[in-house]
Amino acid sequence: PTPLYREAEADAGESLQRDPSVPDAWMWRGMLRCNWGVHLDQAGLDPIPRYEAAAGDFAKALELQPRFAKAWLWQGNVALNRGLYDQMRGRDPEPWYDRAAADLGRAIEFNPALAEAWTMRGRVGTHRGVWWEVTGRDPGPVYASAIADLGKALEANPSYHDGWITRGMTRVNWGIYRYRRGHDPTAL
């Protein structure tokens, strides 16, 4: 799909050349680049240049419209993906997870009804919890915070399937951790 991404990126660039004052255009190109990075990573290729380009686009969108919740959401998504990239290679993802949580907190500040932001922040906590397990720390507080964020996502949009699924997987992760240590996995 790389040639298709290149064509889509060129189209987005053309749009921005015509009018660089539109925050949505910067956000959409950033989303494209972020997704391209995910696909590169899944193919075993280096996603970092795409993630960095996406982050630049979101920064431009936020420069033009600082309270743009969706741009904060996607900037947090890029940071989460950078953290996952590092985590999967045995490197400390915490700085990226901290940045993702902060960016998602801004998205929530500007639009508390944005279920995707609550869910993404819950997902950051879920991945952080896995990292804490791997590095010998108790992930319970991180999983509890993630589950709380996911509950807020479902309050904002009870039909948001990703929130339900992510909360369920977080509960499973925490339950397995508890079970391995001889605790009741159902007493979360």
Side-chain angles (χ1 to χ4, degrees):
T2 295
L4 297 174
Y5 277 114
R6 286 191 203 292
E7 290 175 22
E9 185 179 44
D11 286 344
E14 178 68 26
S15 170
L16 287 165
Q17 283 182 345
R18 291 173 185 275
D19 187 355
S21 69
V22 180
D24 284 86
W26 290 100
M27 186 194 68
W28 282 105
R29 188 173 74 175
M31 291 168 57
L32 165 79
R33 288 172 161 177
C34 180
N35 288 332
W36 187 359
V38 169
H39 284 113
L40 289 171
D41 191 16
Q42 291 170 344
L45 302 171
D46 183 9
I48 301 303
R50 298 283 54 93
Y51 291 153
E52 289 174 348
D57 287 342
F58 298 132
K60 184 63 178 176
L62 292 166
E63 176 186 314
L64 294 167
Q65 186 178 337
R67 299 176 61 86
F68 192 178
K70 283 275 192 172
W72 284 108
L73 165 77
W74 275 91
Q75 185 164 278
N77 189 18
V78 168
L80 171 59
N81 284 320
R82 290 290 303 267
L84 289 170
Y85 180 82
D86 282 354
Q87 183 170 336
M88 295 305 291
R89 286 151 185 82
R91 297 189 299 256
D92 182 6
E94 292 278 355
W96 291 111
Y97 291 163
D98 289 343
R99 179 170 177 179
D103 290 343
L104 294 161
R106 294 297 301 245
I108 291 165
E109 174 187 345
F110 297 131
N111 185 354
L114 188 58
E116 295 92 334
W118 289 105
T119 299
M120 187 73 63
R121 195 167 75 177
R123 189 171 291 126
V124 170
T126 301
H127 290 294
R128 188 188 306 259
V130 171
W131 177 252
W132 281 26
E133 284 187 58
V134 169
T135 56
R137 291 176 279 178
D138 177 8
V142 176
Y143 285 145
S145 179
I147 289 168
D149 279 344
L150 294 159
K152 293 280 190 182
L154 296 170
E155 287 175 22
N157 183 353
S159 299
Y160 190 55
H161 297 287
D162 196 25
W164 289 104
I165 293 164
T166 304
R167 187 171 75 173
M169 291 308 301
T170 304
R171 286 179 170 162
V172 167
N173 286 353
W174 193 6
I176 290 170
Y177 172 81
R178 290 179 52 77
Y179 177 78
R180 289 180 181 152
R181 277 142 192 84
H183 302 289
D184 178 4
T186 63
L188 302 178

